[in-house]
Amino acid sequence: MAMTPLDEIRHSSSHVLATAVLRLFPEAQLDIGPPTDSGFYYDFDLDHKFTTEDLAKIEAEMKKVIDENQPFKRTEVPRAEAVEIIKKIGQERYKLGRLGDIPEGEAISFYQNGDFIDLCAGTHVRYTKQIKAFKLLSIAGAYHRGDEKNKQLQRIYGTAFASKDELAQYLDRMEQAKLRDHRKLGKDLKLFVIDDDVGQGLVLWTPAGSVIRQELQNFISEELRKQGYSQVFTPHIGKLALYKTSGHFPYYKESQFTPIIDPDQLAQIAKEGCSCAEMTARLDAVSEGFRQEINRRSGREAIPVERTKADETLLDGFLLKPMNCPHHIKIFASQPHSYRDLPVRLAEFGTVYRWEQSGELNGMTRVRGFTQDDAHLFCTEEQVGPEVLGCLSLVKIVLSTLGMSDYRVRVGLRDPDSNKYTGATENWDKAEAACREAAKTLGVPFTEEPGEAAFYGPKIDFVVKDVIGREWQLGTVQVDYNLPVRFDLSYSGADNQPHRPVMIHRAPFGSMERFCGVLIEHFAGDFPVWLSPEQVRLVPISEKTLDYGRNLLAQLKAAGVRASLDEHNDKLGAKIRRSEVEKVPYTLVLGGKEAEAQSVSVRSRAKGDEGVLPFAQYLERLKTEIATRALPEKTQKPAVESQK
Ligand SMILES: [Zn+2]
Ligand SMILES: [Zn+2]
């Protein structure tokens, strides 16, 4: 096993962790302790449940082991002797099984530091003192060999770095990430809800969260109108036959909800006494027959309507939309097109459904139903370049408006040695050149990645870095030669002959759910004013200025500002604090002097106390800030109150 120097530090730390645990809990049975991308862990079987206090004790013991500067010594032994060693050290429960995993003929080695001996292939640092910066992080349950049928062990996670500085930076980033966690902030700020009764992975947008989504959609729609897109709406389901033509069924069957079988057909099947097993078999037969048909045509030939309909007598139904493309294609195909009409750009915030494993679900970023900022462009070969560039420019505008200026694009190209790609080589050459050219023209860093294209065309992915340096892969732009063939799309060219259009799929932000999740973390909940669910909070000092507050509230609302008046009977400090905890960008404090002078005392989240301003002047400034979608002047560090 080739380990990097950092892997070696981390893996050695896991040995030191096990050393310390055995000193404190000699009865512990050890399983494994590999390095990970961000640290290391070790799995223990122990009746005593580890607590956070234990972590501190174990950490202290680890420091002793490190200070003892024990060398790591390797010994290779024959298998029979390995069994003896494992018995001698009393670690039979898991280590014998792990020994059994080592194939015959491969070296069997043990590493020893101090009194601690572990079955391990290596490699390690030479002395424990070379572990200069480590920290234990958490305790979690983990099934032996990741299998729920096995016993659940206790896993202790830790991390280690080459230097104390790097460790400190990492811990700071983790702390920041925790404060920014969209699942926590989403709950605290009441932006979205996931309810078990509705279903895991299904996001319920609350009124506050919906404001953010609506503002984003309005903003994106405005840009789309400027770029000549047409808005469309399509239903959430479509017939199975449609997805057979598109290839989404049966090819992506595993990631889809089970089809909704036509109720009449279902009744008929029930009358025939067909069992669930038989029905599943029928559905599989339908899929298989179609898979073969598609393979035979291998995407170079249109699928005739009769073929997609042929299976309906066997079994038909509807699919929850896994993609919006087939619906948009049918809109395009509903009219004859001349080359003069192209490109046709159809946009929809289209909701789709995917079957994600429950273990994969995560807040807003991994869900089972989501709304893509989707669009499909139908264009001529020559238009591919400019259209791809248009898609990229849109993303650039939106990202820079949101203060996400640090991003790169990945251009996915063909694997030159593979023949899995559909479409003519010269088209591919042109499309790849167009994508590369577009990325260049955009003037952002990009990498070319051969083998990363889809089988139907090259694609461009966006990878955005947020303020704490984490990378988020957002959506893609994909050029597609395949679906226009499958659906037999055409337009009439200048030569009056039918030509095949090229399709571009683009959902640059992926989905509204994911994008909002990323934005919550990016802003740490401190949204720019234009996105804030509540933009202004009016806080009267006492009942005496309540009427003044009501008057200002009416003026703010008339100006289209989302504002509220705090009418609670609390102390002023409590009211201000509440507004801050709820991350309202502006809190206007209204005292007697302010009421008299028609002014407000302004506190902003970005700049703190801004002093007293005439209300009219403040309102003008606010309106401009909203209309220009200005960013908060300071970059966001999560405020202290979110820690509580
Ligand atoms: Zn090891
Ligand atoms: Zn699509």
Side-chain angles (χ1 to χ4, degrees), residues 8 67 77 87 90 139 176 279 339 366 527 566 602 617:
E8 284 186 345
D67 285 342
V77 295
K87 284 186 180 158
I139 309 153
Q176 289 278 327
M279 202 169 87
Y339 67 99
R366 283 295 284 274
F527 289 98
D566 191 337
V602 181
Q617 188 188 331

Side-chain angles (χ1 to χ4, degrees), residues 522-583:
H522 173 67
F523 288 120
D526 272 316
F527 289 98
V529 182
W530 69 278
L531 279 177
S532 290
E534 183 178 342
Q535 296 165 319
V536 176
R537 174 82 50 93
L538 296 162
V539 176
I541 283 183
S542 71
E543 283 201 1
K544 286 178 203 149
T545 49
L546 209 49
D547 275 340
Y548 178 52
R550 290 192 181 116
N551 178 314
L552 296 193
L553 182 65
Q555 291 186 55
L556 285 165
K557 285 193 169 168
V561 176
R562 296 183 288 270
S564 78
L565 174 66
D566 191 337
E567 298 198 34
H568 290 91
N569 246 336
D570 307 330
K571 292 218 170 71
L572 178 65
K575 291 188 200 178
I576 292 174
R577 183 169 160 69
R578 182 159 53 231
S579 180
E580 273 172 9
V581 169
E582 292 172 14
K583 299 191 187 257

Side-chain angles (χ1 to χ4, degrees), residues 241-248 299 301-305 308 325-330 332-333 378 480-490 500-501 503:
L242 179 72
Y243 298 104
K244 287 182 200 162
T245 306
S246 70
H248 294 123
E301 230 180 295
I303 310 286
V305 177
T308 61
C325 347
H327 289 65
H328 293 182
I329 287 172
K330 287 297 184 183
F332 176 83
F378 302 84
D480 182 358
Y481 294 102
N482 181 47
L483 286 183
V485 177
R486 287 196 171 198
F487 281 93
D488 204 9
L489 300 181
S490 70
R500 195 73 83 194
M503 239 179 114

Side-chain angles (χ1 to χ4, degrees), residues 21 25 28 44 46 48-52 54-55 58 139 154-156:
V21 167
F25 306 92
F44 302 96
L46 181 67
H48 168 81
K49 287 273 159 284
F50 287 129
T51 62
T52 28
D54 291 334
L55 279 194
I58 296 167
I139 309 153
Q154 299 187 70
R155 175 171 295 178
I156 295 181

Side-chain angles (χ1 to χ4, degrees), residues 332-356:
F332 176 83
S334 65
Q335 309 247 4
H337 291 279
S338 135
Y339 67 99
R340 290 188 202 89
D341 314 333
L342 301 186
V344 169
R345 307 179 188 93
L346 303 179
E348 176 179 19
F349 291 101
T351 305
V352 298
Y353 299 88
R354 307 270 170 88
W355 184 255
E356 297 273 2

